[in-house]
């Protein structure tokens, strides 16, 4: 009886039904409770890519040198989360040899757990990026067919081991677009994550040029979102997932006024379509020029039917727009895990993280929590001494 009192006082959230506990039972119960409290791991699943581009705004058809970097939406999210101090495991498939080893080294450099990365396949996935300048738009050319992730087979990832001590599972529509096996592996993980009671975060991440194995993007993404507790996407991606036309965002500057009533009604429709989803996050971006964007975000709390809006960032110049959405979702996951009850602060933090990414070359948002919080209240540009 004394042991039961100690446990119920120390861990009021948990109810222990046994009136009498044997010594071994007591320590087992205590261990399980501590394990549940310690589960902080965030798991992300996707393909890390080699990013190749020409220097100095050259076109892909110009020059003789390429600059190499790493990208891939889910890897960007994982690295951003780790940079913010989270316990992150990144799951992917990489080829044997120097290119796969180099990608693993890059992931480890930022403190990611890569213990369940599967090795094998022919090659590392690649994309070529031509930077925007003046009136010329940016261009992305994917080279992912027959990559290690493309040829991933169901059952290669030991999801029971990966998710056994996890708190959050983050997945993306991009992973479902790569190949049928990659999509089915994602669905296997989603079903297990739901059974284990994990928080499931879905980034819609629609990339029309990747879908080539016969499945309709809407059908797959719609199914993925049925498992999700938190869904993120921009206004166009929400339209693809739901089939409901998006509300235009035409902000020319930070003084633009959001139509709250229209968006609240929009998200109510989304909640009917995706009833499991508790938090719906939308990034709104208006590209006024290649180096001038306006950016804001919305958060809908479906449980309390409450819409949250935040400031609009008027960003000029844009240094690198790649990975801005990944920075947003990573910022939101971090904030949600740390300040769960404060919806407004979670949205403010996520948008600040996304805005800062526009200032950083490369795909990954290498900013700290302190910098993101500082950006919430400062105009920027001052020397930090």
């Amino acid at each position: 009886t004394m042991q039961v009192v100690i446990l119920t006082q120390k861990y009021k959230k948990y109810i222990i039904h046994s009136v009498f506990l044997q010594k071994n039972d007591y320590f087992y119960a205590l261990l399980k409770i501590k394990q549940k409290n310690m589960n902080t791991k965030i798991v992300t699943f996707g393909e890390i890519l080699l990013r190749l581009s020409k220097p100095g705004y050259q076109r892909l058809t110009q020059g003789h040198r390429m600059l190499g970097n790493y990208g891939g939406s889910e890897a960007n999210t994982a690295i951003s989360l780790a940079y913010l101090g989270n316990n992150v495991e990144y799951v992917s498939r990489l080829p044997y040899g120097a290119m796969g080893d180099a990608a693993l080294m890059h992931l480890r450099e930022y403190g990611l757990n890569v213990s369940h990365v599967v090795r094998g396949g022919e090659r590392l996935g690649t994309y070529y990026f031509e930077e925007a300048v003046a009136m010329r738009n940016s261009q992305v050319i994917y080279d992912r067919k027959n990559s290690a992730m493309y040829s991933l087979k169901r059952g290669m990832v030991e999801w029971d081991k990966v998710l056994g001590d996890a708190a959050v599972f983050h997945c993306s529509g991009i992973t479902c677009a790569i190949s049928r096996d990659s999509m089915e592996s994602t669905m296997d993980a989603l079903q297990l994550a739901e059974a284990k009671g994990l928080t499931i975060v879905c980034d819609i991440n629609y990339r029309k040029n990747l879908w080539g194995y016969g499945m309709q993007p809407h059908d797959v993404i719609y199914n993925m979102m049925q498992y999700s507790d938190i869904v993120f996407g921009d206004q166009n991606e929400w339209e693809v997932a739901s089939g409901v036309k998006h509300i235009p965002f035409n902000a020319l500057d930070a003084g633009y006024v959001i139509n709250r009533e229209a968006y609240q009604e929009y998200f109510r429709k989304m909640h009917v379509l995706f009833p499991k989803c508790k938090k719906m996050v939308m990034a709104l971006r208006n590209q006024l020029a290649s180096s001038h964007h306006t950016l804001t975000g919305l958060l809908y709390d479906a449980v309390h039917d409450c819409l949250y809006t935040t400031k609009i960032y008027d960003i000029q110049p844009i240094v690198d727009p790649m990975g801005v959405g990944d920075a947003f979702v990573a910022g939101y996951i971090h904030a949600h895990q740390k300040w769960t009850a404060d919806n407004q602060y979670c949205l403010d933090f996520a948008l600040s993280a996304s805005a800062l990414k526009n200032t950083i070359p490369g795909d990954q948002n290498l900013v700290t929590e302190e910098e993101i919080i500082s950006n919430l209240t400062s105009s920027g540009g001052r020397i930090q001494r």
Side-chain angles (χ1 to χ4, degrees), residues 29 39 51 57 69 117 127 166 177 238 243 255 283 289 293 310 314 326 335 344:
N39 285 359
R51 164 178 158 170
Y57 299 105
N69 211 325
V117 167
Y127 84 94
W238 275 99
H293 299 177
T310 184
D314 189 344
D326 309 325
Q344 185 65 61

Side-chain angles (χ1 to χ4, degrees), residues 39 41-43 159 162-170 189-190 192-201 227-229 276 278:
N39 285 359
K41 187 173 79 172
I42 301 168
V43 175
W159 284 120
V162 173
L163 300 177
D165 59 345
V168 176
F169 176 65
H170 162 260
L190 284 169
L192 185 59
E194 183 182 48
K196 289 180 176 293
L198 275 63
T199 298
I200 297 173
V201 183
Y227 293 93
S228 304
D229 301 292
K276 186 176 183 287
K278 302 176 184 68

